Amino acid sequence: MENLMRALLSGVFVAMLATQAMAGDANVVAAKVTPQADSTYRFDVTVRHGDEGWDHYADAWEVLSEDGKVLAVRTLAHPHVNEQPFTRSLSGVQVPAGMDRVVIRARDSVHGYGGETLTVDLPDR
């Protein structure tokens, strides 16, 4: 009986790990950057992630300087289970003078940051 319980518990544990691994990291797959009249930028960022619901979903993306300073964060308020990849926007992003490119990365609620990033050149710079 004890061996049966161990086997059942091991199977449940392996299934839980497999479920967490299925969604994987959140990846930035595209971005459009548009200069705004007030010298800020609008970012339209496309993220791909195997969202599984509220327990595991892409929950944010960031605009970073090439040396890793966070310039802006776009929080994603809900899972996008049936919308993959998905695009969300953020306006009013201030980028310091002299910076001609930025890095965009996405985060998910289980793994944090770690998926594919995208480096984009800023237009008009």
Side-chain angles (χ1 to χ4, degrees), residues 44-78:
D44 298 290
V45 175
T46 303
V47 174
R48 182 184 307 279
H49 181 262
D51 285 11
E52 297 174 347
W54 289 101
D55 290 334
H56 192 179
Y57 70 101
D59 61 359
W61 53 261
E62 293 181 332
V63 179
L64 308 162
S65 64
E66 287 187 289
D67 64 0
K69 180 181 175 193
V70 177
L71 304 175
V73 178
R74 172 59 155 94
T75 300
L76 303 169
H78 59 86

Side-chain angles (χ1 to χ4, degrees), residues 98-121:
M99 193 176 294
D100 59 356
R101 73 177 49 127
V102 295
V103 177
I104 304 169
R105 68 179 180 175
R107 176 181 78 202
D108 78 69
S109 60
V110 171
H111 302 104
Y113 294 103
E116 294 176 27
T117 64
L118 187 65
T119 301
V120 295
D121 292 327

Side-chain angles (χ1 to χ4, degrees), residues 4-35:
L4 178 60
M5 287 300 284
R6 281 189 187 151
L8 286 173
L9 289 174
S10 294
V12 168
F13 181 72
V14 168
M16 287 172 44
L17 288 176
T19 299
Q20 281 191 349
M22 285 174 52
D25 292 325
N27 299 303
V28 177
V29 297
K32 178 182 174 188
V33 184
T34 308

